[in-house]
Amino acid sequence: MRWRLLPHLPQSAGLRLLDVGAGGGVPGIPLAIARPEWHVVLVDSNGKKATFLTQAAIELALPNVRAVATRVEDLHDEPPFDVVIARAFSDLRTFAHSSARHCRLPARSMR
């Protein structure tokens, strides 16, 4: 069974999306490809992964993608995000606690 994310996300231009624990860039990079009008920030605490994500964005010509090497708890000076997403970051409680302050209100969750 395939789970499709894109139909469940807002379709507005200029949407800001934060991918927490971005790892190899899934789903952040495919979403940035599918929605080039979105601003996608990929956060991973592993510097090597963030470097890879930066290079991937360059090679794929994705000016709408920015990778940040930090823990989501230490991410500062960012405007609120319309969507905060994670594929394999942590359990739901930790994810919600760590990333809630980055959400533009009102926040909603998808299951």
Side-chain angles (χ1 to χ4, degrees):
M1 182 169 139
R2 298 167 92 183
W3 186 66
R4 296 189 177 136
L5 179 62
L6 199 53
H8 300 281
L9 296 174
Q11 300 303 310
S12 57
L15 181 135
R16 289 180 44 80
L17 182 137
L18 175 64
D19 184 356
V20 178
V26 176
I29 287 180
L31 289 171
I33 292 169
R35 294 290 186 262
E37 69 277 9
W38 289 2
H39 305 284
V40 178
V41 176
L42 309 170
V43 174
D44 201 287
S45 62
N46 183 311
K48 287 183 180 181
K49 290 179 183 177
T51 299
F52 166 79
L53 294 170
T54 298
Q55 189 62 37
I58 291 167
E59 298 290 330
L60 294 169
L62 296 172
N64 59 325
V65 173
R66 183 167 52 93
V68 180
T70 190
R71 296 173 51 87
V72 69
E73 298 89 348
D74 299 328
L75 183 65
H76 300 291
D77 301 325
E78 286 285 342
F81 291 90
D82 302 295
V83 174
V84 179
I85 191 169
R87 186 184 64 81
F89 172 68
S90 67
D91 61 89
L92 184 57
R93 177 177 292 200
T94 303
F95 169 67
H97 178 72
S98 299
S99 59
R101 69 184 181 88
H102 297 293
C103 293
R104 182 182 317 275
L105 297 177
R108 69 176 189 170
S109 63
M110 294 183 336
R111 290 193 235 186

